[in-house]
Amino acid sequence: MRYIKRVMGLSSSRAIEQQSSDPSEKAKTNGEEHVSPSFGPLKEYISAVIGVAALTIACWLLTPLTGYGAISLIFLLGVLLAGMVLNRGPVLLVAALSALSWNFLFIPPLFTLHIAKLEDALTFATYFIIAITVGSLTAQLKAREHLAAQVQLAQESERLRKTLLDCVSHELKTPLAAIGAASQELSRLAPNIQDPQMLKDLGSEIRDGSRRLNRVVDNLLDMNRLESGVIRPKREWCDVRELLQSAVDIERESINGRDIRLDVPEEIPLALVDHTLIEQAVAKLLANAGSHTPARLPIEIDAEYSNDHLLISVSDRGPGVPIEATERLFEKFYRGNNRKTGGLGLGLSIARGLIEAHGGRLTAENRDGGGARFTIRLPVRVTDMNGMEATS
């Protein structure tokens, strides 16, 4: 359980860091997208000065057309826009500099801070107060929006933590209960047991429970490695057919003896890929197909090389993929409404992460005639089956 709590902490904290500190990420607030500013404190002040300078030049060119009175509205608009992208300090600087620029360059007498007319002085004082107020209010509004985004991220992190706890608790308790019951029954009957079939059944219960526990731990470890960014492909020349057959062997027990149809052209070249990563990804897709395909129907695996890409497809004849959930399938802990009980909902997310770490893409679509198809598209170097000259 210590490990699980550590993984939960890493997942939730990393989710907050990625969504709040990365300037390229967008935090969604109340259904709208809010882009966090990427300026540092000093850069914001420099941007404020440059912005006022550019606005002053534009106003200088417009003065013959608008008169100096209308220029204050343009400066005020600049203060309002600054409040949308800058923090409180730089916004107040924009307000002060724009007021001084308007006084010095546009209000007669020019190039002095003296104001000759009473109405100009009143206008200037009103503008200064309005600019400072607007700048302060817009900065406060921006701060509140940022706070609201942080609150939503915290709530999402807490939801993720609760989902993980619920899933892991269920996935651990179920096989542990089965193992405990089977081992207790085995201990009780051991002195006098004479039924080989009962021994076999109890052993199967313990084996199945152990395999399910291993899958939970492996999925948590794989997700932790992906989120930590420690996975780096180690490419080697691989026989595509052998790679896919190895993935089938890994999942042979979990797919409960379902027929696997492997279609790989004889002439497909050797591919320079990370055998372990691709094997794991295909195995995850096979496990997913096995949980959705009726026992009497086969699972199909196809591979081909085309246009410098290796294409691997895993297809089933299950209920298919809801159109609106095509991308959600690859989210962590997402489980479809028609999915059987059991599983953390990490398999497809891990598969996509492994493929993307390899520089490829994993997509899902519905098949003609029913069922789903998951396609891996990998950019690869290849050679012929005899290891002749490599091409790229």
Side-chain angles (χ1 to χ4, degrees), residues 86-162:
L86 302 177
N87 289 317
R88 182 185 181 88
V91 173
L92 296 180
L93 178 62
V94 170
L97 289 179
S98 62
L100 292 175
S101 297
W102 184 46
N103 183 3
F104 189 77
L105 297 174
F106 298 97
I107 299 178
L110 301 181
F111 310 116
T112 70
L113 296 179
H114 174 68
I115 300 177
K117 297 180 180 180
L118 177 60
E119 56 268 30
D120 287 341
L122 291 174
T123 302
F124 173 78
T126 303
Y127 169 79
F128 187 80
I129 294 173
I130 292 176
I132 294 295
T133 303
V134 168
S136 179
L137 290 176
T138 52
Q140 290 180 19
L141 180 61
K142 178 171 168 289
R144 289 180 181 178
E145 290 180 348
H146 182 68
L147 178 60
Q150 293 300 314
V151 170
Q152 186 173 11
L153 288 174
Q155 292 174 343
E156 178 64 19
S157 176
E158 182 60 27
R159 185 195 66 80
L160 185 67
R161 184 189 300 272
K162 186 177 183 301

Side-chain angles (χ1 to χ4, degrees), residues 1 76-77 91 119 131 143 214 240 253 363 366:
M1 291 302 292
L76 196 60
L77 178 61
V91 173
E119 56 268 30
N214 282 330
V240 176
E253 289 189 11
T363 57
N366 286 317

Side-chain angles (χ1 to χ4, degrees), residues 143-258:
R144 289 180 181 178
E145 290 180 348
H146 182 68
L147 178 60
Q150 293 300 314
V151 170
Q152 186 173 11
L153 288 174
Q155 292 174 343
E156 178 64 19
S157 176
E158 182 60 27
R159 185 195 66 80
L160 185 67
R161 184 189 300 272
K162 186 177 183 301
T163 301
L164 177 59
L165 181 60
D166 291 343
C167 289
V168 171
S169 296
H170 176 268
E171 287 301 301
L172 292 179
K173 286 179 179 178
T174 302
L176 282 174
I179 292 173
S183 58
Q184 184 177 7
E185 185 69 9
L186 187 60
S187 298
R188 187 179 68 83
L189 298 176
N192 302 310
I193 192 169
Q194 298 182 6
D195 187 350
Q197 184 60 42
M198 181 174 291
L199 280 175
K200 183 178 179 181
D201 292 341
L202 292 174
S204 296
E205 287 288 338
I206 295 174
R207 185 183 66 252
D208 292 343
S210 299
R211 187 175 67 242
R212 186 168 176 179
L213 284 175
N214 282 330
R215 184 180 295 275
V216 171
V217 174
D218 288 343
N219 281 341
L220 290 171
L221 287 172
D222 288 339
M223 183 55 65
N224 192 30
R225 290 167 58 213
L226 286 170
E227 291 186 341
S228 301
V230 299
I231 292 182
R232 296 289 184 272
K234 297 179 180 179
R235 292 176 171 82
E236 57 183 333
W237 293 109
C238 297
D239 184 312
V240 176
R241 179 181 291 276
E242 290 181 0
L243 186 155
L244 298 180
Q245 186 60 55
S246 177
V248 172
D249 293 339
I250 290 175
E251 292 297 328
R252 179 67 68 182
E253 289 189 11
S254 67
I255 57 181
N256 296 323
R258 286 178 175 80

Side-chain angles (χ1 to χ4, degrees), residues 345-366:
L346 289 176
L348 293 179
S349 179
I350 292 171
R352 172 171 275 191
L354 294 172
I355 296 302
E356 290 180 347
H358 204 287
R361 294 178 59 228
L362 173 60
T363 57
E365 62 182 347
N366 286 317

